[in-house]
Amino acid sequence: MFSEEDHSHMRCAMEEAKKAASMGEVPIGAVLVDASGVIVARSGNVTITQSDPTAHAEITIIRARCQEVGAQRIPDHDLYVTLEPCAMCAAAIAFARIRRLIFAAPDAKGGGVLHGGQFFGQPTCHHRIIVEHGLYAEESGQLLREFFAARR
Amino acid sequence: MFSEEDHSHMRCAMEEAKKAASMGEVPIGAVLVDASGVIVARSGNVTITQSDPTAHAEITIIRARCQEVGAQRIPDHDLYVTLEPCAMCAAAIAFARIRRLIFAAPDAKGGGVLHGGQFFGQPTCHHRIIVEHGLYAEESGQLLREFFAARR
């Protein structure tokens, strides 16, 4: 189901998640890959360091890439993220016309793809996207659990 | 139901929507009001001019105000917007801990408050917010219809 490239890209997203944790941010990371398979943007969550509640990893890389190419839509890009996107990020992913979303761990508490409003299945979502998940799910979940356990 | 201040703030949001239209952006405007009733941020949609699919009016003013105060949460702020927020903006509004959301027109096609995943009613939404709507709904809907009719 997942290719060697998928594994490699998700490992990069995991590295971004770990970097986020080292900065006191929630350890979630994401990378954006163009049609030729090259990583064109990568980030962890930066909501605290940037004082921006919208600066989730997914939003941050979508904004960076859109500004780089000078467009608000970047079809033919795949997005890898270590946790199920929330409703905000799911909608942003659809607005950007991302081709394929691959996420690691599910997020029962805050997810918006498999949980909550399940954005991609709503009639208010006007983009058809390929969604796959489960790659490095255990590692990502473990990283998040350790992070929150250490903060308690 | 709506105070004189509400009318005044929504008229400002309508002005932002009209400015957006004059720049070729979808005519949606929003203002953010602090606890003392002062408008602290205002914007229209700027997704095209900023090459940013996340730059809806609501997101733009939340980012601006959060960066100004150096925090990712701005409780005691009220947000006025001329159209029902989408799923992305509804979630961002909850993340920012906005106290009260007032919107003008409903958005059956893309809304995320009364329509679609109805974010604020989901167990994945962890913020309780006051939501009111209908103020200047006809004016806002008319502005949007005229904008899209002229583009066809």
Side-chain angles (χ1 to χ4, degrees), chain A residues 47-48 50-54 56 59 62-63 66-67 70-72 86-88 91-92 95 108-109 111 116-117 119 122 124 126, chain B residues 47-48 50-54 56 62-63 66-67 70-72 86-88 91-92 95 108-109 111 116-117 119 122 124 126:
Chain A
T47 63
I48 299 166
Q50 294 194 2
S51 297
D52 181 353
T54 75
H56 287 188
I59 298 269
I62 287 171
R63 293 180 80 202
C66 284
Q67 276 158 29
Q72 58 164 328
C86 71
M88 175 181 74
F95 295 153
K109 198 179 164 215
F119 182 73
Q122 293 291 346
T124 49
H126 308 291
Chain B
T47 63
I48 298 166
Q50 293 195 2
S51 298
D52 181 353
T54 74
H56 287 187
I62 287 172
R63 278 191 189 127
C66 284
Q67 277 157 29
Q72 58 165 329
C86 70
M88 175 180 75
F95 296 153
K109 197 178 164 215
F119 183 73
Q122 293 291 346
T124 50
H126 308 291

Side-chain angles (χ1 to χ4, degrees), chain A residues 19-76:
Chain A
K19 273 191 230 166
S22 72
M23 297 168 69
E25 298 276 0
V26 178
I28 301 167
V31 302
L32 201 53
V33 176
D34 74 5
S36 63
V38 173
I39 292 180
V40 291
R42 61 175 75 197
S43 183
N45 268 30
V46 286
T47 63
I48 299 166
T49 42
Q50 294 194 2
S51 297
D52 181 353
T54 75
H56 287 188
E58 303 95 309
I59 298 269
T60 304
I61 59 176
I62 287 171
R63 293 180 80 202
R65 180 59 172 170
C66 284
Q67 276 158 29
E68 186 178 47
V69 302
Q72 58 164 328
R73 292 181 179 178
I74 43 171
D76 303 323

Side-chain angles (χ1 to χ4, degrees), chain B:
Chain B
M1 175 180 177
F2 294 110
S3 68
E4 261 186 57
E5 286 71 24
D6 289 336
H7 280 81
S8 168
H9 296 326
M10 192 62 88
R11 278 197 302 271
C12 287
M14 282 296 295
E15 286 310 310
E16 293 298 325
K18 287 171 191 166
K19 275 191 229 166
S22 73
M23 296 168 69
E25 299 275 0
V26 177
I28 301 167
V31 303
L32 202 53
V33 176
D34 74 6
S36 64
V38 174
I39 293 180
V40 291
R42 62 175 75 197
S43 183
N45 268 30
V46 285
T47 63
I48 298 166
T49 41
Q50 293 195 2
S51 298
D52 181 353
T54 74
H56 287 187
E58 302 95 310
I59 298 269
T60 304
I61 59 175
I62 287 172
R63 278 191 189 127
R65 181 58 172 170
C66 284
Q67 277 157 29
E68 186 178 47
V69 302
Q72 58 165 329
R73 292 181 178 177
I74 44 170
D76 303 323
H77 283 67
D78 296 344
L79 192 150
Y80 295 76
V81 57
T82 59
L83 188 68
E84 177 187 345
C86 70
M88 175 180 75
C89 291
I93 285 165
F95 296 153
R97 302 293 185 260
I98 298 295
R99 177 175 61 184
R100 182 168 168 250
L101 164 68
I102 305 93
F103 65 85
D107 182 9
K109 197 178 164 215
V113 177
L114 305 177
H115 300 91
Q118 302 179 47
F119 183 73
F120 297 125
Q122 293 291 346
T124 50
C125 175
H126 308 291
H127 173 58
R128 201 171 286 184
I129 187 168
I130 302 163
V131 178
E132 295 170 86
H133 60 93
L135 183 60
Y136 290 99
E138 183 47 45
E139 291 83 346
S140 174
Q142 182 66 22
L143 182 63
L144 282 155
R145 283 190 296 274
E146 283 170 7
F147 178 79
F148 286 112
R151 279 160 49 121
R152 265 176 213 126

